[in-house]
Amino acid sequence: CNMESPPAWCAQKWCYVDKDDCSIVPFRSFLFEGSDAHYSYQTCGESNQFQTWTASLGQSTASVTELLDVVQGYLWSTRERVESEHMVLNSVSTCNWINQCPCMECVLNSLWKAKTDFTKVGVTLKSEDATFACLSLPVSQSYINIAAKEGQPYERVGYMYFADHASGSYMGWPAVDWCFDAAYDPRLRPWYSS
């Protein structure tokens, strides 16, 4: 990890776990070869980038299972962050959030053919729901961290997004200058229902 561009796993939290008392799939330790020591990144809210990195040393592409592990780790860490903040946010009446319609902070990006802001998560409210708008703050922290590890926004297009079941409100990274009409409902999109 002491190098100019260390692997992503160097900055991640992990812990040793009892493999017989862990609801998450643990991995055998490389550090104590021959021992029965097991570790987990997911227990600490992270994805197992170390396992992915070590597997990639011997092959040029990651398997579907490894990719699913990474995505699942991101989902778990985002969910945990939202759940931990939700109770606090229920008592908040207002907060600062980035409105996507219009997105005043967004600038034109030629690859995306749209105005974007890669440093923010944008929100489109279908109702005046302060809690959902305020939830964009912890989601934003997770999405920005994921984008820093995985994203290449100046080379290819990729989104992370979330829709609220109760209201149909939407948030997504990056913030995009996007005003959808009243008939658009993100809950009816294939990505939501799958």
Side-chain angles (χ1 to χ4, degrees), residues 87-145:
M87 296 306 286
V88 173
L89 295 174
N90 275 334
S91 63
V92 174
S93 58
T94 62
C95 63
N96 294 326
W97 51 280
I98 304 299
N99 189 349
Q100 291 196 135
C101 183
C103 180
M104 303 307 287
E105 295 86 358
C106 294
V107 295
L108 186 60
N109 179 294
S110 59
L111 174 66
W112 291 58
K113 297 179 177 59
K115 289 182 175 180
T116 59
D117 183 345
F118 299 116
T119 66
K120 304 282 190 300
V121 166
V123 176
T124 301
L125 293 180
K126 295 284 265 188
S127 65
E128 293 303 316
D129 185 356
T131 302
F132 183 82
C134 292
L135 275 177
S136 71
L137 302 176
V139 170
S140 179
Q141 293 166 347
S142 289
Y143 283 9
I144 298 300
N145 290 342

Side-chain angles (χ1 to χ4, degrees), residues 13-157:
K13 294 180 282 186
W14 61 275
C15 55
Y16 285 111
V17 294
D18 179 349
K19 69 177 175 69
D20 298 322
D21 189 29
C22 188
S23 60
I24 298 168
V25 178
F27 294 88
R28 185 179 298 277
S29 175
F30 285 83
L31 186 58
F32 303 110
E33 197 171 315
S35 76
D36 198 31
H38 285 74
Y39 67 94
S40 170
Y41 283 85
Q42 196 171 1
T43 301
C44 299
E46 300 277 357
S47 64
N48 190 347
Q49 294 291 319
F50 178 72
Q51 185 71 19
T52 303
W53 177 76
T54 56
S56 72
L57 294 177
Q59 61 191 51
S60 60
T61 59
S63 70
V64 171
T65 305
E66 291 168 330
L67 293 174
L68 286 173
D69 180 51
V70 170
V71 171
Q72 183 181 24
Y74 289 146
L75 289 172
W76 277 92
S77 65
T78 302
R79 185 191 82 177
E80 288 169 4
R81 181 172 270 157
V82 168
E83 286 177 350
S84 69
E85 299 279 337
H86 190 267
M87 296 306 286
V88 173
L89 295 174
N90 275 334
S91 63
V92 174
S93 58
T94 62
C95 63
N96 294 326
W97 51 280
I98 304 299
N99 189 349
Q100 291 196 135
C101 183
C103 180
M104 303 307 287
E105 295 86 358
C106 294
V107 295
L108 186 60
N109 179 294
S110 59
L111 174 66
W112 291 58
K113 297 179 177 59
K115 289 182 175 180
T116 59
D117 183 345
F118 299 116
T119 66
K120 304 282 190 300
V121 166
V123 176
T124 301
L125 293 180
K126 295 284 265 188
S127 65
E128 293 303 316
D129 185 356
T131 302
F132 183 82
C134 292
L135 275 177
S136 71
L137 302 176
V139 170
S140 179
Q141 293 166 347
S142 289
Y143 283 9
I144 298 300
N145 290 342
I146 294 166
K149 291 178 191 174
E150 307 291 344
Q152 296 174 332
Y154 297 101
E155 297 175 22
R156 64 178 185 222
V157 176

